[in-house]
Structure formats: C-alpha cells, structure tokens
Amino acid sequence: MRDYDYFIAALSDVTTDIARISVEGEGGSAQVIVQAMDGRHLPFDGTLDDVYTAVENTDAEGLYSGEDASSIDTKLKLFSVHIDEALETASGSAKRLSLRPSGVKAV
C-alpha cells in the first residue's frame, strides 16, 4: 500500500528551493499542484497515484553515489530535477505539468 502522506512530504522536501507542493482531494485520486516561485499554479495532468507511479518508474541508477537507486527518496531527487526543468522551460501560457516517459513537461 502506498504511503501518500509520506510521498507528498518527501516531494515537498526535495522541491523546497524550486516550488511549493499542494494536494487537493484524498488518496490516490487527489490532484497534485506545483506552485512555482513566480506564483504560477501548475497541476499535474494525472492523479497523485499517477505522479507516484511516474516517480517509481524513474531510473536513478548511478546518479547519486552511495544511495539506493531503487528507493523512493532517491527517485524523488531526480524527479525534482524534472520538475525544475519543466518550470524553467515553461512558456508563460503553460497551464499544467504533463507526465512524460522522459520526465515532466509544462504545457
């Protein structure tokens, strides 16, 4: 069973310098919203469960020396880089964050 409370807390922790994370709703069907430092609110196009799955599928092998690449915490570190890149490259008209096989894209 997935620990969504831990997941959101850990995601919030690794994105502290780039965004604020909020959740609307309950459980796996909740909506995850990223508030960029410039004030934009960009919800993910999937549910909390979809975001969790995307993080689980993140390949962090060899990126963080001495860390277990299969741990959710290590994968969240890399996922936060994907969020940062999406926010940095987002157009002013971007309305949401889209989960992609290669990461996250603001669309």
Side-chain angles (χ1 to χ4, degrees):
M1 188 160 145
R2 292 178 163 177
D3 185 346
Y4 294 115
D5 291 335
Y6 175 81
F7 179 81
I8 289 299
L11 179 59
S12 294
D13 190 45
V14 297
T15 58
T16 298
D17 295 334
I18 59 170
R20 300 293 173 256
I21 305 296
S22 61
V23 176
E24 291 182 2
E26 297 290 325
S29 62
Q31 179 73 59
V32 180
I33 301 163
V34 175
Q35 180 182 347
M37 292 303 187
D38 63 7
R40 291 178 297 165
H41 287 77
L42 300 168
F44 276 98
D45 60 1
T47 64
L48 173 55
D49 197 56
D50 295 331
V51 175
Y52 199 116
T53 297
V55 171
E56 282 183 324
N57 292 334
T58 298
D59 182 6
E61 190 67 40
L63 295 177
Y64 300 100
S65 181
E67 293 189 30
D68 178 4
S70 67
S71 82
I72 198 74
D73 293 310
T74 303
K75 291 177 179 216
L76 277 165
K77 285 182 184 181
L78 180 55
F79 192 73
S80 74
V81 173
H82 294 313
I83 292 172
D84 187 34
E85 291 171 345
L87 295 175
E88 288 293 320
T89 60
S91 71
S93 62
K95 302 288 186 215
R96 60 188 170 85
L97 295 176
S98 179
L99 298 168
R100 305 287 172 96
S102 59
V104 176
K105 182 174 180 166
V107 293

